[in-house]
Amino acid sequence: LLDVPPLSLAIETVGGVATRVVERNSTLPVHYQQVFTTAGMFQSSVEINVLQGERPMARDNKSIGKFRLKGIRRAMAGVPKIEVTFDIDTNGILTVSARDQDTGRAQSITITADNKMSEDEIQQAIRDAEQYAAQDAFRRDLMDTINQAQHLLAQVGAALNQCSKQLDKDEKNRIKTDLANLRRCLRKDKPEKMNENEEANLRQAKTQLEESANHLMVLYTSEQETDGTNNAL
């Protein structure tokens, strides 16, 4: 058995994050499976962008293959379950497949050595990951916060539509004010240009909305099914 791949394998998820599926130097053969969901409302397809590298953001890694899974049943964001599988045989040939658990629709791609990074590219990728570790950690934390804030906005908005009649006027107004404040923080700039102060303001606005909408979300989630799926495509 060989120790491959020399770099980690990931797929791009919402916000341009490289979500790692296979760790570097995993022993062959490899079989890893992870369940993802959708980021958009009534999304009918997802793109699977397969990445090789050690950086936490997709754009800083090498894309070694892409394909699109179509025919997903339209549903609220976060409801569909997309099962992504990475298989690497003893010859180092990688097959990535995606299957919608609801419809059974599936698509896959096979990636050979010709698609992968050269030895020089691999060594440079390792050096870059070490050199930019602190910067990457800030960017990944920021993007995680942005994704969580966007998810919170969608959830609170849906909860207001469904359960607003169960709230008194003051509580409803507080939630609407905090919703608007969080939206303003998200619209201020592109994520890659946000500084530490802007990130702190975003975190504070997110926390404030979580607190003001706590009662609302208890009402709402009691009527919803949750499965703990977090990563969206």
Side-chain angles (χ1 to χ4, degrees):
L1 298 181
L2 303 176
D3 283 332
V4 294
L7 292 176
S8 300
L9 298 172
I11 65 171
E12 182 174 358
T13 53
V14 65
V17 172
T19 297
R20 195 169 295 179
V21 180
V22 180
E23 297 290 339
R24 63 181 295 198
N25 295 327
S26 297
T27 301
L28 291 181
V30 165
H31 176 82
Y32 285 106
Q33 196 169 79
Q34 192 168 335
V35 175
F36 296 83
T37 188
T38 51
M41 298 288 285
F42 310 117
Q43 194 172 328
S44 62
S45 68
V46 293
E47 182 178 76
I48 307 297
N49 183 16
V50 184
L51 307 165
Q52 186 177 21
E54 299 303 313
R55 309 281 294 278
M57 304 304 295
R59 70 180 187 181
D60 297 319
N61 297 292
K62 181 174 181 177
S63 175
I64 58 174
K66 290 182 182 180
F67 66 94
R68 184 168 289 276
L69 174 63
K70 300 179 181 179
I72 298 169
R73 197 182 308 281
R74 295 177 183 272
M76 300 285 285
V79 172
K81 298 181 180 66
I82 312 300
E83 187 179 271
V84 177
T85 303
F86 277 59
D87 282 300
I88 310 177
D89 66 18
T90 52
N91 295 314
I93 296 174
L94 166 65
T95 300
V96 180
S97 60
R99 185 179 71 88
D100 176 16
Q101 291 185 349
D102 180 26
T103 64
R105 290 182 180 271
Q107 187 59 267
S108 65
I109 188 173
T110 298
I111 300 168
T112 64
D114 293 338
N115 305 94
K116 297 176 184 177
M117 297 171 71
S118 67
E119 183 59 33
D120 287 345
E121 288 177 314
I122 289 169
Q123 294 306 316
Q124 185 62 53
I126 293 171
R127 289 193 294 271
D128 286 347
E130 294 171 351
Q131 180 178 351
Y132 299 110
Q135 176 183 323
D136 283 349
F138 171 76
R139 288 169 61 204
R140 176 59 190 264
D141 287 347
L142 173 59
M143 190 53 64
D144 284 345
T145 301
I146 289 171
N147 290 341
Q148 291 164 12
Q150 290 172 335
H151 180 72
L152 179 64
L153 284 174
Q155 289 291 303
V156 173
L160 269 178
N161 287 336
Q162 184 167 320
C163 306
S164 63
K165 292 181 179 179
Q166 301 177 54
L167 305 176
D168 62 42
K169 183 178 178 180
D170 288 343
E171 184 176 10
K172 192 184 304 183
N173 287 338
R174 280 196 304 274
I175 293 170
K176 288 181 177 179
T177 298
D178 292 342
L179 269 171
N181 184 39
L182 183 55
R183 287 196 186 101
R184 281 194 296 271
C185 288
L186 286 171
R187 289 173 181 164
K188 277 186 176 179
D189 212 336
K190 293 182 179 179
E192 60 270 20
K193 293 183 178 179
M194 274 191 176
N195 57 38
E196 291 184 6
N197 287 336
E198 289 168 330
E199 183 194 22
N201 290 337
L202 175 62
R203 288 183 183 275
Q204 182 177 359
K206 173 176 166 287
T207 298
Q208 191 167 318
L209 178 58
E210 286 171 338
E211 292 174 354
S212 65
N214 181 64
H215 174 228
L216 170 65
M217 294 311 296
V218 169
L219 295 173
Y220 179 66
T221 54
S222 66
E223 302 175 15
Q224 307 297 313
E225 289 186 5
T226 58
D227 56 25
T229 301
N230 295 315
N231 291 317
L233 297 165

